[in-house]
Amino acid sequence: MENFTYNSFMLQLEAIDFTKDVVYTAFFLFLAFYIFTMSLNLGFLILVITEKNLHQPMYILFCKLTVSDIIAATEVFPRLLVDILRPPSERLISYYECMVQAFLTHLVSSTCHTVLMIMAFDRYVAICNPLRYSAIMTSRMLVKLSVSAWGVPFLFVSVLIGLSVRLNRCRTFVSNPLCDNASLFKLSCESVEINNIYGLFYTVLLLVASVGCIVLTYGKIAVICLTSKNKSMKKKALKTCSTHLVVYLILLFSGFSVIALHRFPQYSYYRKILTILFFVVPGSLNTIIYGVQSKEIRNFLSEKIKRHQCFQLKNNK
């Protein structure tokens, strides 16, 4: 009973401080970001589920990224919106809620990398082995890739958070607007050397695997395109690969920006802003980029708009 009481104490979050003049503006701005991100991702997810023309590996795999973006936005923004309107002394979170938030934060950010890795593999097969694409990218293969994309980060992040949870705590202040692994182990007065080593190992492993996969698959695609005289294939490769690469670079740049600012305490305000934007910018831009690129989605939306216009014309008559 004593351990339960100790483990369930409340933590105080260091939320982003806004002056009284801009606090409501910030609230409605973040609320608009949240609604916009959720509408885009849920809309895309529903569209892929309901439209048979979009039941293709590329869109099914992208839905995994969409699910990650939905989870990320949902576990960050509702609490952030409430904390913006609260005084600093009332920005409290239970230890268990902080632990869950830290786990989900690292899980979804890691999953974004692994999903983009399997999407790169999908593009490689589609462009370099088009005749065998349907034989390779079967439903069974999609399940295996999906399980790997979520399962591997789940195991690594479980160890990451587990190493922090094992520590005894002597602090109750979280110097961040949301909980992450660093927030958890900084609550302890014990040595966190193992946490730092494993965290560095996991970060390097994830980035090396992610960047290596992109470089390897895109390098092979580039070689195929340069040696081939098939203009149609080159056009297809440029269209699909450029979209995937832009999405990957946005994720990479957003993540590196947050990591880099952790080393400069004097810029903590900008770090907190970028931490929040990390969960909204890629999440909204990803869907927009893929929606604009996809001919099937453009045709579907164009058809819906035309039907709506025809329906309105009939009603006006």
Side-chain angles (χ1 to χ4, degrees), residues 229-285:
K229 296 181 180 180
N230 189 333
K231 293 183 179 180
S232 176
M233 187 197 70
K234 290 181 179 180
K235 185 177 179 180
K236 177 184 177 182
L238 180 62
K239 182 180 178 182
T240 59
C241 292
S242 60
T243 303
H244 180 267
L245 192 59
V246 168
V247 169
Y248 180 76
L249 291 176
I250 290 173
L251 174 67
L252 208 60
F253 177 77
S254 302
F256 271 126
S257 298
V258 175
I259 293 172
L261 284 177
H262 266 289
R263 298 184 177 274
F264 301 96
Q266 65 271 31
Y267 299 122
S268 62
Y269 179 81
Y270 299 104
R271 173 180 56 80
K272 287 185 282 187
I273 292 291
L274 280 177
T275 300
I276 300 303
L277 292 179
F278 175 77
F279 292 96
V280 64
V281 174
S284 55
L285 289 181

Side-chain angles (χ1 to χ4, degrees), residues 4 8 10 19 24 27 42 53 72 86 106 156 160 177 183 185 227 231 266 275 281 293 295 317:
F4 177 81
S8 61
M10 301 300 290
T19 63
Y24 290 106
F27 175 85
L42 285 173
N53 292 335
R86 286 174 173 170
H106 288 279
F156 276 98
L160 183 73
S183 302
F185 68 68
T227 56
K231 293 183 179 180
Q266 65 271 31
T275 300
V281 174
Q293 176 270 341
K295 182 180 178 181
K317 290 180 180 180

